[in-house]
Amino acid sequence: SNITVDAITQIDPDETFVNPITLEDDILHDRPPLLLEGSCELQFGTYPIAVMAVHNRSLGGIDGSEGERVRKKRLLQAESIANKAQELQTADPDVRLIVTGDFNAYEFTDGYVHSLGVITGDFDPATSFVCTEHPCATDIVEPNLDNQVLELPEDDRYSFIFRGTAQVLDHALTSTKLADEISGVEYGRGNADAAVDLINVDSTPLRSSDHDGLVLFVTKDEDADGVPNDADACPATVLPESVPTKMLARNRFADTDGDGVFNTRAPKGGGPMSIFTLGDTAGCSCEQIIDAQGLGGGQRKWGCSLSVMRDWIALVNP
């Protein structure tokens, strides 16, 4: 499939916050989030997607002399990202949104700032010490984003090893529209578990980073018929289809070779021959149209008639 990129936007690179120690304005995002908006081009439609890549402030210094600044920065970064995610959900409740990257945050609260909770929309101010120092927004994101890392077995939930402790800092958060379209998630191993000394060895890809990369698998066309899931009126299409059971008659239609274009026999005479695709029928084969309409055995024996095809298309693509 081809990927079309409509826009790549650096989100709020000039956003500032008041440093609670110096009382001066500081840049909030040292590594501003990037938002990619685009689509995957299928044979009979497009599958839109939005991916926000983040790399938030680390936990370093969170309880030292700079602790109040670090805590406030981590809180406001999380709120900034959460507000952008909610803005996208409000503009399009069906948005297929993925927020992913190095959050420098655990899947649970660290007690100081529950950054991930703020971004997913599952946040209780009572669990974060920073909320005793600064006002905390309680529920920015609705509906909540799902953390796909939680679908992994517990012993595989790590992307970074800090002083011998395996932990998750890299997550993939997804919007409601993607709930039924995620087919898997996994970390690409070879960094966190590899010897630190390999980081400067050019002859091996091991330890090319100190974090393991995260891969999210999305099923954009579940039955592989070329029609995006949300435009597909007939899931589980099987091609080539089993209709007709006798032979394909003139001006009868069925996808007998599985290319997404309905096969037919030319009518008698020199008139033009109608052409139909699975895009026209909203992903429905002749067999599925017969079943959906409760049609007689003649359609199954010889293929769907011209009137059946036209009536179905008028129904699903008015």
Side-chain angles (χ1 to χ4, degrees):
S1 301
N2 296 321
I3 302 296
T4 297
V5 177
D6 297 323
I8 296 179
T9 308
Q10 192 178 49
I11 300 172
D12 298 325
D14 299 321
E15 188 173 0
T16 61
F17 76 108
V18 177
N19 183 323
I21 297 175
T22 66
L23 301 182
E24 296 178 350
D25 285 347
D26 282 351
I27 289 291
L28 179 60
H29 297 289
D30 303 297
R31 297 166 293 228
L34 287 177
L35 176 65
L36 182 149
E37 296 172 281
S39 61
C40 179
E41 305 301 320
L42 303 176
Q43 186 177 3
F44 303 113
T46 62
Y47 180 94
I49 197 84
V51 180
M52 191 188 310
V54 304
H55 189 175
N56 289 352
R57 197 335 175 154
S58 75
L59 286 151
I62 200 166
D63 58 356
S65 60
E66 290 287 312
E68 187 178 2
R69 177 185 66 83
V70 173
R71 293 188 292 270
K72 182 177 181 182
K73 186 167 187 171
R74 284 172 57 80
L75 171 70
L76 295 182
Q77 281 184 344
E79 291 182 350
S80 176
I81 292 168
N83 279 313
K84 183 59 180 180
Q86 186 57 32
E87 179 184 319
L88 292 168
Q89 290 198 130
T90 300
D92 179 8
D94 290 331
V95 65
R96 292 180 172 97
L97 172 65
I98 301 169
V99 184
T100 189
D102 180 2
F103 291 79
N104 270 312
Y106 310 128
E107 64 271 37
F108 44 80
T109 182
D110 55 35
Y112 294 105
V113 186
H114 189 14
S115 301
L116 208 68
V118 172
I119 298 170
T120 61
D122 184 16
F123 178 64
D124 178 0
T127 65
S128 294
F129 175 71
V130 69
C131 297
T132 67
E133 301 174 310
H134 307 283
C136 291
T138 56
D139 191 6
I140 297 172
V141 179
E142 180 63 39
N144 290 1
L145 302 181
D146 295 319
N147 188 355
Q148 295 300 327
V149 168
L150 299 181
E151 298 303 314
L152 289 170
E154 289 187 5
D155 61 359
D156 200 28
R157 292 181 200 166
Y158 69 95
S159 62
F160 180 73
I161 296 177
F162 180 70
R163 296 178 182 174
T165 301
Q167 52 197 245
V168 177
L169 297 181
D170 306 85
H171 305 266
L173 315 180
T174 58
S175 60
T176 299
K177 182 63 178 180
L178 280 166
D180 296 328
E181 298 183 342
I182 302 298
S183 55
V185 60
E186 63 183 77
Y187 288 105
R189 300 304 184 192
N191 291 330
D193 292 326
V196 175
D197 292 346
L198 294 177
I199 199 165
N200 293 317
V201 178
D202 296 335
S203 60
T204 176
L206 295 175
R207 201 66 185 188
S208 55
S209 170
D210 56 348
H211 289 241
D212 284 331
L214 180 63
V215 181
L216 190 69
F217 298 92
V218 179
T219 304
K220 58 191 180 299
D221 175 13
E222 189 169 7
D223 55 5
D225 61 359
V227 179
N229 292 334
D230 59 355
D232 199 334
C234 294
T237 302
V238 177
L239 299 173
E241 59 178 309
S242 60
V243 170
T245 57
K246 293 275 188 186
M247 62 176 290
L248 193 59
R250 289 189 176 91
N251 256 353
R252 297 288 187 127
F253 300 85
D255 187 356
T256 58
D257 58 9
D259 65 353
V261 179
F262 285 83
N263 303 92
T264 189
R265 292 176 61 202
K268 291 182 178 180
M273 184 171 62
S274 296
I275 299 174
F276 302 106
T277 71
L278 286 174
D280 299 322
T281 63
C284 299
S285 66
C286 172
E287 183 176 14
Q288 290 172 312
I289 294 171
I290 292 169
D291 292 341
Q293 298 284 74
L295 301 177
Q299 307 293 330
R300 201 173 296 276
K301 289 179 181 178
W302 312 109
C304 290
S305 69
L306 183 61
S307 61
V308 164
M309 295 295 288
R310 287 175 173 169
D311 288 347
W312 179 259
I313 291 169
L315 177 66
V316 295
N317 283 321

